Amino acid sequence: MNDDILNAIETKLGVSRRSFLQLCTAMAATMGLPKGAEAAIAQAIASPRRPPVIWLHFQECTGCTETLLRAEHPTLERLILDIISLDYHETLFAAAGHQIEAARKASMAANKGKYLLVVEGATPMKDGGIYCKIAGQTAHDMLMECAADAAAIVAIGSCASWGGMPSTSPNPTGSTGVPVLIKDKPVVSIPGCPPNPYNFLSTVVHFLTFNKLPDLDAKGRPKFAYGRLIHENCERRAHFDAGRFAQEFGDEGHRKGYCLYKLGCKGPETHANCPAILFGDVGSGSWPVGTGHPCIGCTEQGIGFQKPIYALAEPEYIVPPASYPHVVEQQGEGVTFGSAAGLAVIAGLAAGAGAAIARNLGKGDRDDHSAGKE
Ligand code: FSX
Ligand code: SF4
Ligand code: F3S
């Protein structure tokens, strides 16, 4: 890669070229792209071309936006906000009222067929859609208006993907997701409540680099992020295979980090890369099961917000025994890793390398700089 591009990156993002190249390589690996794709990714990120983005907010808690912005080290949100041109976002814009609506219409008119539409939140359809209105327009009308000239649509979060929490039974406002309402445009869903920002970043980078969305599964989710079950990469999987389960919160098995299946963990029927890429900035990142809470299946339509926490998951291809051994003190005995579980964990860790690098990008460079000054 030529020096001009790398210099441009150092100036644009304030990260060292070595860290940046590591990130591009790891991102290409995470997305399962062929060798050489890292150069195309680096070039696309360095390019001054920034795709215009119109970001809508409907029925939601704004957690999707928050998860992008609340990294302790300004890396992910900086990468995202530097590679796109955010032309409309109710929460982040200083402007409001007529001014912000005029900005949205101006951007859409100037970028017909070129802008990316990001939708956060569910769309209520009952009673003419009156339960969510922006600037006097129903969410549904605004969605249709903005989708008409979009190049592609990203449904960010479970609410936009299928209705998520607002659509929980009895679904009083008739909430639903973007894929149900838009059939004539490419729509990618990035479910999760909130979704992992790294999956959003990778999807946007894929669009920026190749001008198309990544490969999707049957539910419209990027395969690179939702192709495996949580259960396949879970660090507690060896306990599952060995029949060691926490029986209730706070018991000995729970304190020892045993499998959370009997506490209602939906990892065996939920597809997502949470255990591989982790969330947040605490230590080197964490995730629900890592903190001792069972996965509630927030990325899986039909599971998250629908299947109660007390209901046991139905593993897709490993049926556990009907009764479970009690937790016993195992002095001197290590946990035996089933080879499939061991390999899956290793593969999962490799897939999460990009997120780990992204998480530490700003931090590492900042540490390097401060070390250099001493
Ligand atoms: Fe909240 Fe987003 Fe959940 Fe929904 O994330 S974190 S309720 S998926 O739309 O803001
Ligand atoms: Fe991990 Fe849950 Fe599977 Fe247990 S049931 S191994 S805690 S994903
Ligand atoms: Fe959601 Fe389960 Fe991941 S609850 S964040 S899919 S571990």
Side-chain angles (χ1 to χ4, degrees):
M1 186 164 313
N2 79 41
D3 264 8
D4 290 346
I5 293 178
L6 293 169
N7 287 339
I9 279 295
E10 279 184 321
T11 318
K12 185 172 171 181
L13 297 180
V15 297
S16 74
R17 55 181 66 193
R18 191 183 60 172
S19 299
F20 175 70
L21 289 173
Q22 274 177 336
L23 174 71
C24 294
T25 307
M27 205 180 275
T30 305
M31 290 193 275
L33 299 174
K35 201 170 178 302
E38 66 279 4
I41 288 176
Q43 206 145 359
I45 295 179
S47 150
R49 184 178 71 89
R50 298 194 303 157
V53 171
I54 305 285
W55 190 304
L56 303 179
H57 285 268
F58 296 154
Q59 290 179 305
E60 38 84 355
C61 73
T62 311
C64 308
T65 291
E66 288 290 334
T67 193
L68 292 177
L69 300 178
R70 294 294 170 254
E72 187 187 332
H73 304 287
T75 310
L76 272 182
E77 85 280 17
R78 186 160 170 191
L79 271 172
I80 292 167
L81 295 177
D82 276 347
I83 61 176
I84 62 172
S85 163
L86 193 57
D87 288 0
Y88 178 86
H89 191 297
E90 285 171 42
T91 315
L92 298 181
F93 269 33
H98 296 296
Q99 216 177 7
I100 187 172
E101 292 309 313
R104 174 174 66 82
K105 287 183 195 288
S107 170
M108 282 163 40
N111 299 297
K112 273 190 178 190
K114 292 189 203 138
Y115 62 87
L116 202 57
L117 178 64
V118 179
V119 182
E120 180 174 349
T123 307
M125 296 300 288
K126 199 171 165 189
D127 299 331
I130 57 166
Y131 300 108
C132 181
K133 283 183 151 188
I134 302 107
Q137 207 176 4
T138 65
H140 182 235
D141 283 350
M142 186 176 269
L143 173 65
M144 300 319 269
E145 182 194 340
C146 296
D149 291 319
I153 304 173
V154 180
I156 190 168
S158 301
C159 302
S161 298
W162 75 80
M165 205 184 302
S167 69
T168 305
S169 179
N171 193 0
T173 64
S175 303
T176 191
V178 178
V180 170
L181 302 170
I182 308 278
K183 298 287 183 197
D184 61 344
K185 291 268 152 155
V187 178
V188 56
S189 291
I190 308 192
C193 188
N196 196 300
Y198 185 74
N199 292 336
F200 177 71
L201 171 70
S202 302
T203 303
V204 171
V205 165
H206 192 285
F207 180 77
L208 191 65
T209 308
F210 305 107
N211 216 17
K212 61 175 187 169
L213 296 174
D215 286 346
L216 307 179
D217 70 5
K219 290 185 176 176
R221 306 172 295 191
K223 281 186 187 164
F224 71 81
Y226 300 89
R228 280 175 181 270
L229 289 167
I230 299 260
H231 192 57
E232 290 176 73
N233 291 327
C234 179
E235 67 238 26
R236 296 180 191 236
R237 173 61 184 274
H239 290 303
F240 178 93
D241 289 342
R244 295 190 189 101
F245 299 95
Q247 310 277 343
E248 56 184 71
F249 283 99
D251 74 1
E252 195 180 352
H254 193 227
R255 289 200 301 277
K256 283 183 168 170
Y258 288 179
C259 172
L260 304 174
Y261 179 79
K262 289 206 78 182
L263 299 182
C265 182
K266 305 297 186 289
E269 52 191 1
T270 299
H271 294 83
N273 53 3
C274 313
I277 64 174
L278 308 176
F279 292 83
D281 247 346
V282 182
S284 53
S286 188
W287 68 297
V289 170
T291 67
H293 196 286
C295 166
I296 64 163
C298 78
T299 59
E300 200 72 53
Q301 182 172 10
I303 306 291
F305 316 112
Q306 285 175 34
K307 189 164 178 175
I309 191 72
Y310 59 77
L312 294 185
E314 288 162 33
E316 256 181 36
Y317 44 79
I318 298 168
V319 181
S323 60
Y324 301 92
H326 288 293
V327 174
V328 288
E329 198 63 43
Q330 308 245 335
Q331 282 178 343
E333 265 185 55
V335 170
T336 316
F337 253 71
S339 57
L343 286 174
V345 168
I346 291 162
L349 291 176
I357 292 169
R359 194 157 39 235
N360 292 319
L361 197 59
K363 190 165 52 168
D365 287 341
R366 196 175 57 187
D367 292 349
D368 284 354
H369 290 316
S370 47
K373 280 184 195 144
E374 280 167 8

